[in-house]
Amino acid sequence: DGGITQSPKYLFRKEGQNVTLSCEQNLNHDAMYWYRQDPGQGLRLIYYSQIVNDFQKGDIAEGYSVSREKKESFPLTVTSAQKNPTAFYLCASMRAQGSSPLHFGNGTRLTVT
Amino acid sequence: QQPVQSPQAVILREGEDAVINCSSSKALYSVHWYRQKHGEAPVFLMILLKGGEQKGHEKISASFNEKKQQSSLYLTASQLSYSGTYFCGTEGSGGSNYKLTFGKGTLLTVNP
């Protein structure tokens, strides 16, 4: 079955370390997204990418970086510059036509201590 | 800028109806609706496009007032399975630009 795979489900890091969250999709979708979810804050857009080798900052991009070298993959790096990195991170994808349903992965819960 | 959802939370008894509202300060091209159960990924419910086209779930209805930049999700004869957090997501006007911004969510609890 097609879908989005995020790994790992739980991730623990020490403060000051960079950490990369994986997101892979086999839906043949062109657009991919990263959202951060905190209690009471909804889903906040970090980065999104419409095509390979191109991506745009979302509303809370500071302290994060991404790459889009392959259509199937959109890894997110949480850098040490992110002041409050502990959160639930969701990856999503959408067909190229736009205004199509977002398909979400099951998320990665990152805890930084 | 995040769209504003209301109410923040609502509690129903099975069989009752609910309306969840979503409003934006900017002109909109589309409004998406998703439901998320605790610990799970959000699931697509509905897309409403400028011009009136709708795509989505048969048992859930929604409206999109382009002039007021508002959308409402109508849940009728609620079932226990309707419980969860509902999010609206919006795309700005000018056609789809792929930037989908979500509200803070509405927590819906349906009790027996």
Side-chain angles (χ1 to χ4, degrees), chain A residues 31 33 35 37 40-45 48 50 59 88 90 94-102 104-106, chain B residues 1-2 29-30 32 34 36 39-42 44 47 49 55 87 91 96-105:
Chain A
Y33 300 76
Y35 288 92
Q37 189 169 27
Q41 296 298 316
L43 304 170
R44 292 186 290 170
L45 181 62
Y48 62 108
Q50 297 176 25
D59 300 315
F88 186 55
L90 283 162
M94 180 194 286
R95 286 184 302 148
Q97 288 88 343
S99 295
S100 298
L102 270 180
F104 286 88
N106 287 325
Chain B
Q1 187 174 5
Q2 286 184 289
Y29 175 73
S30 73
H32 294 223
Y34 294 80
Q36 184 181 33
E40 299 180 5
F44 168 74
I47 292 176
L49 299 175
K55 310 176 188 178
F87 294 99
E91 280 183 285
S96 178
N97 60 7
Y98 295 91
K99 184 179 182 183
L100 195 58
T101 303
F102 285 91
K104 293 185 177 183

Side-chain angles (χ1 to χ4, degrees), chain B residues 29-94:
Chain B
Y29 175 73
S30 73
V31 179
H32 294 223
W33 287 96
Y34 294 80
R35 177 173 60 215
Q36 184 181 33
K37 293 187 179 285
H38 184 69
E40 299 180 5
V43 173
F44 168 74
L45 295 175
M46 176 84 62
I47 292 176
L48 301 104
L49 299 175
K50 185 176 179 179
E53 182 181 357
Q54 296 187 22
K55 310 176 188 178
H57 203 287
E58 292 180 357
K59 295 185 178 180
I60 294 175
S61 62
S63 64
F64 179 21
N65 187 323
E66 298 167 26
K67 289 185 178 179
K68 292 186 176 180
Q69 297 151 196
Q70 294 176 346
S71 177
S72 294
L73 186 71
Y74 305 97
L75 303 164
T76 58
S78 59
Q79 305 170 19
L80 297 176
S81 61
Y82 285 11
S83 292
T85 302
Y86 289 75
F87 294 99
C88 71
T90 58
E91 280 183 285
S93 63

Side-chain angles (χ1 to χ4, degrees), chain A residues 1-5 24-29 72:
Chain A
D1 288 339
I4 298 179
T5 301
E24 303 278 333
Q25 55 100 357
N26 60 3
L27 298 166
N28 199 32
H29 287 174
E72 302 80 17

Side-chain angles (χ1 to χ4, degrees), chain A residues 30-54:
Chain A
D30 284 281
M32 296 189 73
Y33 300 76
W34 276 104
Y35 288 92
R36 169 180 173 143
Q37 189 169 27
D38 298 280
Q41 296 298 316
L43 304 170
R44 292 186 290 170
L45 181 62
I46 305 173
Y47 270 97
Y48 62 108
S49 167
Q50 297 176 25
I51 56 173
V52 174
N53 294 321
D54 189 29

